[in-house]
């Protein structure tokens, strides 16, 4: 099967992956607000990847920031949640949303690289986040026989603990069978930090749900978000029993989203 094409567009200092769902919005096949990258990743992994056969799962998108898609029998096509803005540290670092102590302020790739720089690390100048993260991993987890860079290693280990703590909240709240970690940063970091993430998730979570969950990397690779966006219209069509969607008036954005957007402006 050919690899799905990947669209890129610049946002400020970063290069973001375009989920692809905007391409189908214009056709009116997917209602606005459902094209969150975490949901499209979750859709792909549940249909074709590591989520197949699970009734309860959480699919985590770990890129510049972090997000999650919750899949339960009641929400079989997944519901995106603002997991990245869960508070993990009181009076902590300021997140790009404007709040203090969000998980994304510690575990997103953007904040991870910023914390490395603040600790004395030297990310390559003039490169994108993926290249900088690759450089950090190369010195934090060097080839056999070489000494790891203590600054890079300390930041990566702290990131693994924050991710594990964040996953423990999802375990306690939703008691999933599986947690799958995807996104370009998650797939880069996973081979190095996944055992530590699992260990911290279990240590912070309630014992009973923690004993029933597996934490793995997604199986569809870095293009999974685009794959999920491509199949959203099909999933939506099946959910309606094969009937065309009736036009509905747009509803106002939820109060929590409006509050986040307002906070980000100040």
């Amino acid at each position: 099967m050919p690899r799905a094409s990947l669209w890129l567009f610049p946002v400020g200092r970063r290069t973001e992956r375009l989920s692809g769902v905007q391409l189908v919005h214009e056709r009116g096949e997917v209602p606005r607000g459902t094209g969150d990258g975490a949901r499209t990743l979750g859709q792909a992994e549940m249909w074709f990847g590591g989520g197949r056969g699970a009734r309860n799962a959480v699919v985590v998108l770990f890129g510049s920031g972090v997000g999650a898609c919750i899949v339960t029998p009641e929400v079989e096509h997944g519901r995106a949640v603002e997991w990245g803005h869960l508070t993990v540290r009181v009076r902590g670092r300021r997140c790009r949303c404007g709040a203090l102590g969000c998980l994304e302020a510690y575990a997103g790739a953007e904040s991870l690289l910023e914390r490395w720089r603040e600790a004395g690390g030297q990310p390559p100048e003039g490169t994108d986040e993926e290249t900088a993260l690759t450089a950090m991993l190369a010195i934090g987890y060097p080839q056999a026989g070489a000494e790891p860079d203590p600054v890079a290693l300390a930041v990566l280990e702290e990131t693994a603990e924050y991710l594990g703590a964040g996953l423990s909240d999802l375990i306690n709240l939703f008691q999933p069978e599986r947690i799958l970690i995807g996104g370009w940063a998650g797939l880069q970091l996973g081979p190095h930090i996944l055992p530590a993430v699992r260990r911290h998730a279990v240590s912070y979570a309630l014992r009973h749900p923690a004993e029933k969950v597996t934490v793995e990397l997604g199986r569809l690779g870095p293009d999974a978000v685009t794959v999920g966006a491509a199949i959203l219209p099909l999933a939506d069509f099946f959910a309606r029993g094969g009937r065309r969607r009736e036009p509905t008036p747009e509803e106002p954005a939820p109060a929590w989203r409006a509050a986040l957007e307002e906070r980000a402006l100040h």
Side-chain angles (χ1 to χ4, degrees), residues 15-62:
T15 298
E16 298 285 0
R17 293 177 181 270
L18 177 61
S19 72
V21 76
Q22 294 174 9
L23 303 179
V24 293
H25 272 156
E26 294 180 5
R27 295 178 56 86
E29 300 290 347
V30 181
R32 293 282 175 179
T34 62
D36 187 277
R39 186 186 170 204
T40 58
L41 173 64
Q43 184 74 70
E45 287 289 349
M46 294 304 293
W47 275 37
F48 304 120
R52 293 183 66 183
R55 284 171 52 80
N56 298 277
V58 174
V59 183
V60 170
L61 175 63
F62 185 1

Side-chain angles (χ1 to χ4, degrees), residues 2-3 8 12 61 70 75 78 112 119 146 156 163 168 216 219 221 229 243 252:
R3 288 168 63 84
L8 302 176
L61 175 63
I70 310 299
V75 192
L112 188 162
L156 289 164
L163 273 175
S168 73
E216 305 289 344
R219 297 181 186 173
R243 293 187 297 274

Side-chain angles (χ1 to χ4, degrees), residues 26-217:
E26 294 180 5
R27 295 178 56 86
E29 300 290 347
V30 181
R32 293 282 175 179
T34 62
D36 187 277
R39 186 186 170 204
T40 58
L41 173 64
Q43 184 74 70
E45 287 289 349
M46 294 304 293
W47 275 37
F48 304 120
R52 293 183 66 183
R55 284 171 52 80
N56 298 277
V58 174
V59 183
V60 170
L61 175 63
F62 185 1
S64 291
V66 292
C69 176
I70 310 299
V71 181
T72 67
E74 294 77 25
V75 192
E76 61 177 324
H77 297 298
R79 174 167 53 90
V81 294
E82 294 288 350
W83 177 58
H85 301 290
L86 176 150
T87 302
V88 293
R89 188 163 181 172
V90 176
R91 294 187 296 275
R93 295 172 61 88
R94 188 167 297 281
C95 178
R96 59 185 179 180
C97 77
L100 296 175
C102 293
L103 174 63
E104 188 167 298
Y106 294 90
E110 181 181 290
S111 60
L112 188 162
L113 293 168
E114 184 62 31
R115 289 191 295 113
W116 181 31
R117 187 178 293 106
E118 289 172 0
Q122 296 182 328
E125 294 293 333
T127 60
D128 61 21
E129 289 177 349
E130 292 188 54
T131 305
L133 184 57
T134 299
M136 183 183 187
L137 289 168
I139 63 173
Y141 301 102
Q143 295 182 350
E147 287 294 320
D149 179 86
V151 174
L153 183 60
V155 173
L156 289 164
E157 289 180 340
E158 183 183 50
T159 300
E161 184 165 7
Y162 275 113
L163 273 175
L167 292 181
S168 73
D169 290 315
L170 296 176
I171 292 170
N172 290 344
L173 287 169
F174 301 105
Q175 302 185 16
E177 301 166 46
R178 301 176 199 173
I179 294 177
L180 300 169
I181 299 174
W184 66 266
L187 296 175
Q188 271 191 275
L189 288 162
H192 305 283
I193 69 172
L194 190 59
V197 170
R198 287 194 192 106
R199 186 173 66 252
H200 290 304
V202 169
S203 67
Y204 283 109
L206 294 169
R207 187 173 68 178
H208 179 69
E211 288 174 348
K212 296 178 178 294
V213 68
T214 60
V215 181
E216 305 289 344
L217 292 180

